[in-house]
Amino acid sequence: MEFSGTFELEDTTVDEVWLALSDPVLVQESLPGCTFLLHVEGEEADFDELAEQASELDRELTNDPEVIAQRAFKEGERYAALMQVSVGPVNPTFETVVTIDERDRPRMDASGEGSSGDSSFEMSSSMALSETDDGDGVAVEWETQADVFGKVAGMGQRVINPVANRIVKRFFSSVQEELHDLGVGEVSTSDGDESDGRSLVDRVLGRSKSTDSE
Amino acid sequence: MTVDSLDPDDVDAADILGSAIERREDPALLTGNAEYTDDIQIDGMLHMAVVRSQYGHAKLEGVDTSEAEAMDGVHGVYTYEDLVSDETPGGGSFALPTAWLLDSLKQVEHPVLASDKVRHQGDGIAVVVAEDRYTARDAAGAVDVEYERLDAVVHPSEAFSDDAEQLHDDAEDNVAFDWEIGDAEKTADAFADASHTASIDLDNQLLIANAMEPRAAVADYNPGTDELDVAMTTQNPHVHRLLMAGVLGHPEHKLSVRAPDVGGGFGSKIHHYADEALVAWCSMMHEGPIKWTATRSETYLTDAPGRGHETKAEIAMDDDGNIVGLRVDTMANLGAYLSTFAPAVPTYLYGTLLSGQYDIPAIYGHVKGAFTNVPPVDAYRGAGRPEASFLVERLVHLGAKEMGMDPVEFRKQNFVPDDAFPYETQVAVVYDSGEYTKPMDEALEMLDYENFREEQERARDEGKYLGVGFSCYIEACGLAPSELAGQLGAQAGLWESSLVRMHPSGTVTAYCGTSGHGQGHGTTYAQIVANELGVPYDSVEVVEGDTDEIPQGMGTYGSRSAAVGGSSLVKSAQKVVEKGKEIAAHQLEADPEDIEFENGEYSVAGAPDRSMSMADVAGAAYLAHDIPDEMEPGLEATSFYDPDNFVFPFGTHAAIVEVDPDSGEIEIERYVAVDDVGNQINPKIVEGQIHGGIAQGVGQALYEGAEYDDNATLMTGSMQDYAVPKAEHVPEMETGATVTPSPHNPLGVKGVGEAGTIAAPQAIVNAVADALEPFGVDHIDMPMDAESVWSAVQANATADGGAEPGSDDADHGGER
Amino acid sequence: MTEHDITLTVNGAEHDLTVEARTLLVHALRDELGYTGTNVGCESSLCGACTVRMDGEAVKSCTTLAVQADGAEIRTVEDLGTRHDFHPIQEGFQEEHGLQCGYCTPGMMMTALDILEENPDPTREEIREGLEGNLCRCTGYQNIVNAVQNAAEQMQPAAVADGGETDDDGPTPATDGGEKQ
Ligand code: FES
Ligand code: FES
């Protein structure tokens, strides 16, 4: 099944949002039902080990681009997440592994799969950021192609679609909230004008200004 | 024209056959006294649950049952290895057979639990036996299966495409069979010479039967006697016993299969599925009673769907509007494996009806069966015949349009004429009897057809789109005789068996090998037997659906029960009457030749006071103090009735619809059904069958369809997503009847179980096409939801330069 | 799994039983107490086969937990009339051939009683609307609608005479008389 939509974040910039969405910790906090989201080091994602690792890890939300840069998603790398979702009467917990296929501001593509006992899914997603027409917000255009299997699939699209939409909606509102609370972008805006801010973001994320299409 | 029902007590014995009496099975069903399979409770009974595939197509990489086994209340978890192990009971094939073969058929292995590959979501991987149903389901959820997912195919056209994933090693290109009927060359010539042709390209969607009672089985193995009793939701217990005996390797005579009350079947409870065999096996394994009841989700994943055709077809006419040829090319979906009667459905039950009610001199049909990752497809109410009738009636609609003729006139001109019966078609069957204009004329009168056409004109002028659609269907029921069935590939005879037993007191028990599940056989069979024996209706008890009680049987499907089962009862009863005649002659000291039998009385011709009642004769037969020498005591008879031919019911259904081209909404304004099912044993029951059949046909036309995504994951796996019509969705039906008895069975009956379902879809689609004629819409695939109707209107409005909805020229776009 | 002690009054008889928190009312009725007249068609509140009356209202017993019904009065098909003394709704179904396989019928009748209680003289459309939550695959509904109308006719004089008294006390002589053969 395919889902897509555009979510508008107010009062922020493409850079701020890009930075926020580059941060696994912020994403973890914003994803409803997500217990952890961690980089997969080895070949196999061992969720027992990862859970342990997650409980020991002491990562905090931050607005410090340097810190975010340290842990930011990297193209070609895999990330594991444990996510509980409520679908109708059941609450399966999905062990999910996602690969960042492409990460090129303002666009990110990822694909992955998750499984939970008698259900599983495979998906590929992409997301692109742009400034909204009125100029004081960011439009996130997203698109997901997902195949759902097993018990959850049996519940039908009328059950699944609203669940998927709810997750996405709650994710972005939460991102918006975090952006606001943390002032992720304030680092850049406080630094001066927009172009300076952008260069800072580019710098901490290891990108040259020339790759920027804006 | 509603039939009023009668209290049997108010009906004279002589009139019992043909009376619309109330059903005797109702009191139990109305008071909660009925016993459906899941109602059965046995002390110590365990419950089974099945672990099914997460994927439509995958390799099994590993199955870990340890967690499930360790759960409280779990008595065992089994996989394919356990079934075939030497340590466990049964030495059968553990694979489901198909009971119909075709020359080109690829018989693929269908294990009852998947061993290395799963080919549809309903494929079982393991079974769990536990204390109660909740624990069994929990434990099934705890079985850990590792898969390697494979690409899946859903539609035959995909299955046949070059890069399609192959399901079975021994079925190249996913082709299950390649079959043809009729004369290709002659038909090609007919088309070459024809002055007009019309063609269609259509999908006949997959449907799910949705009997309200999910499939279920309770098996009880007695280790002391080695007897295995299985109570299950079946339409044909004897067939199930025979097949299951082979699957389990348990001898047929030590296996008993019983159908308790069965909550509807519509075909879905004919076939031998894995689950019922698995319950039986688990019962042997645990040496005690085990129950399995499908959840509704499981029925969606496992019950055999029906239909599933992709077809291209064309019709050819001469200058005068005579049909000169019909040509059909169909790709039929068979699903993941060959279900019990699957190969017959899109071939002999389909191709043989391509002549419809018409005299068509050249016909050719070609069908290619496809293995796909949907559940094994098999008979669903109508089975092949709805697909044929839909196609023929759609083509006839388009043919009439092509000729610029009124669809009624076109049909009448091409009907097989009354004096042509028995009529041999170009597709291997001989129609027994028919008068096709009769139901058509009656339907026209009920519709007030002439006036309707005027009203339709007026309505169009007001921007209101009404349409009328006709369906002149033909059905074939009671496939016979067995010899022919055998030539066509059946691995079974299609006779029916019965036993009529007079008791010493004069009451009767009649046993029949059919197995009703809502059709009211208890009532109709008693009417038949009471009539033959001249005993009171209330003195006859009917027993069906139990291999321990009934000598043999083939079951209930294909609208065969009255024509074949009922006729068998007549034959048995006649044998009883004959034997009784000799006893009466002996006792009355007359020559058997001189004994007359009427209304339950034997009397000496010319001396009516010298007489004996049937009851007296029965008493004498069992006393055996004074019966003819050499005669065995007792009064009962068995027959195996093998009909000479199919019976061919027919009729005309017509729908009037209003279509809103702006919203795509369809309203059925009227639905008229005139059916000729031969003689009617109980007109109230006939009416009920027609109603229910039409509702399912309306469901196919407007609401229902099994949809799978590209991975063969069912998208309509609940009653939320698969729209079984509700009370508000089904129109009020106006029914009428004509009676053309079948000449070759003793009751003159034809069969009624599937008529409505066969007839209804094309009546509605034709009506919608008629309503949308101004917009140039020729065809809309089913289910015709608002969106598809709207899209069709839009597409034609732009593509063909047809009228656009709401525009003025729409009103005059395509008048006849 | 936590267990709970509950009391169900079914058709006037009080039963104490212990159920798991997740046990559905329909399974408590069928598996624990043996009231198998109520059927299960979907376990998801969509087919209505499991409809019973709980404290005078039609509920789907497959989506009611047994613990939720603790202390409630449940009425099932077994409490309508007997074969010799049908309730008008049973009479209606028999006379009009409102059932074939009978699987949906107990639930249909329970919903029908609800419809008739609210509206003793419903139109055909109102009956069809009222049956919205009950599926029947056999009859095409027409004879079910007839059956409900038939029952309405039988019940009406009594309902008026008794000031619209409900049928919840079982078939009263007044409602049952007259029309029976
Ligand atoms: S079983 Fe309760 S609504 Fe279907
Ligand atoms: S009578 Fe069979 S489902 Fe209603």
Side-chain angles (χ1 to χ4, degrees), chain B residues 749-767:
Chain B
V749 296
K750 290 200 160 192
V752 65
E754 297 155 298
T757 310
I758 293 173
Q762 57 274 22
I764 297 168
V765 177
N766 283 344

Side-chain angles (χ1 to χ4, degrees), chain B residues 41-371:
Chain B
Q41 296 287 3
I42 305 174
D43 279 347
M45 185 168 71
L46 301 174
H47 292 257
M48 184 187 91
V50 184
V51 180
R52 299 191 194 278
S53 174
Q54 240 177 67
Y55 301 102
H57 200 191
K59 277 190 189 144
L60 288 182
E61 301 277 283
V63 182
D64 180 357
T65 58
S66 53
E67 192 186 325
E69 271 160 15
M71 287 169 71
D72 272 355
V74 170
H75 289 237
V77 184
Y78 308 103
T79 63
Y80 182 76
E81 301 304 316
D82 299 304
L83 296 179
V84 296
S85 150
D86 289 342
E87 318 283 298
T88 58
S93 62
F94 295 106
L96 300 174
T98 183
W100 199 288
L101 305 181
L102 304 169
D103 286 343
S104 61
L105 189 70
K106 297 280 181 299
Q107 288 194 69
V108 295
E109 184 80 358
H110 184 185
V112 294
L113 285 177
S115 52
D116 56 345
K117 213 175 165 192
V118 279
R119 295 181 178 86
H120 70 106
Q121 282 182 289
D123 251 339
I125 295 165
V127 287
V128 174
V129 174
E131 218 94 290
D132 60 84
R133 58 177 110 218
Y134 290 83
T135 310
R137 287 183 203 170
D138 285 351
V143 171
D144 196 10
V145 184
E146 255 186 73
Y147 305 88
E148 182 195 327
R149 186 167 80 75
L150 300 169
D151 284 344
V153 289
V154 174
H155 301 287
S157 49
E158 281 164 40
F160 295 148
S161 74
D162 289 342
D163 52 350
E165 186 79 33
Q166 179 123 347
L167 268 83
H168 299 276
D169 292 342
D170 33 11
E172 212 181 314
D173 300 329
N174 295 320
V175 177
F177 64 77
D178 197 320
W179 178 89
E180 57 179 9
I181 193 166
D183 190 328
E185 218 171 298
K186 188 167 151 197
T187 308
D189 291 347
F191 272 85
D193 295 344
S195 50
H196 296 264
T197 61
S199 67
I200 196 166
D201 220 337
L202 63 86
D203 282 354
N204 198 311
Q205 80 268 37
L206 280 174
L207 301 174
I208 296 172
N210 273 293
M212 291 310 299
E213 179 203 25
R215 282 189 300 115
V218 174
D220 193 359
Y221 176 73
N222 181 336
T225 60
D226 194 32
E227 272 165 21
L228 174 60
D229 293 343
V230 184
M232 61 185 265
T233 49
T234 168
Q235 299 179 216
N236 40 347
H238 292 86
V239 174
H240 270 133
R241 178 176 64 168
L242 174 63
L243 296 176
M244 195 185 285
V247 172
L248 297 176
H250 192 76
E252 193 179 359
H253 68 292
K254 289 281 193 185
L255 177 59
S256 115
V257 174
R258 179 171 75 87
D261 285 306
V262 174
F266 317 112
S268 66
K269 293 169 182 169
I270 300 172
H271 329 303
H272 189 8
Y273 297 89
D275 311 289
E276 288 83 346
L278 290 167
V279 192
W281 182 84
C282 287
S283 175
M284 292 201 283
M285 187 72 200
H286 286 264
E287 305 195 334
I290 303 206
K291 179 190 281 184
W292 165 80
T293 301
T295 60
R296 181 55 60 182
S297 322
E298 279 183 293
T299 71
Y300 277 109
L301 296 180
T302 58
D303 281 10
R307 324 275 190 264
H309 285 196
E310 294 172 77
T311 296
K312 286 188 195 313
E314 42 189 344
I315 188 168
M317 283 81 54
D318 66 14
D319 271 333
D320 304 323
N322 297 312
I323 303 174
V324 295
L326 189 112
R327 188 154 56 185
V328 176
D329 195 4
T330 292
M331 292 181 280
N333 200 338
L334 294 187
Y337 307 93
L338 297 171
S339 176
T340 313
F341 288 113
V345 178
T347 55
Y348 289 107
L349 296 180
Y350 170 66
T352 51
L353 287 189
L354 289 174
S355 201
Q357 292 190 359
Y358 310 100
D359 182 16
I360 306 178
I363 303 177
Y364 176 68
H366 173 227
V367 184
K368 224 165 117 177
F371 288 114

Side-chain angles (χ1 to χ4, degrees), chain C residues 90-123:
Chain C
Q90 291 167 310
E91 192 71 49
F93 271 77
Q94 162 100 60
E95 277 178 14
E96 304 293 342
H97 188 28
L99 68 158
Q100 291 181 25
C101 77
Y103 201 77
C104 69
T105 316
M108 282 285 174
M109 292 194 295
M110 289 297 156
T111 304
L113 291 181
D114 235 34
I115 297 173
L116 292 179
E117 200 165 293
E118 265 168 41
N119 181 356
D121 187 19
T123 63

Side-chain angles (χ1 to χ4, degrees), chain B residues 212 296 719, chain C residues 26 39-51 59-63 103 133 135:
Chain B
M212 291 310 299
R296 181 55 60 182
M719 284 173 162
Chain C
V26 70
N39 296 321
V40 181
C42 71
E43 275 184 48
S44 50
S45 200
L46 294 165
C47 77
C50 65
T51 309
V59 299
K60 291 179 175 165
S61 61
C62 75
T63 29
Y103 201 77
L135 297 177

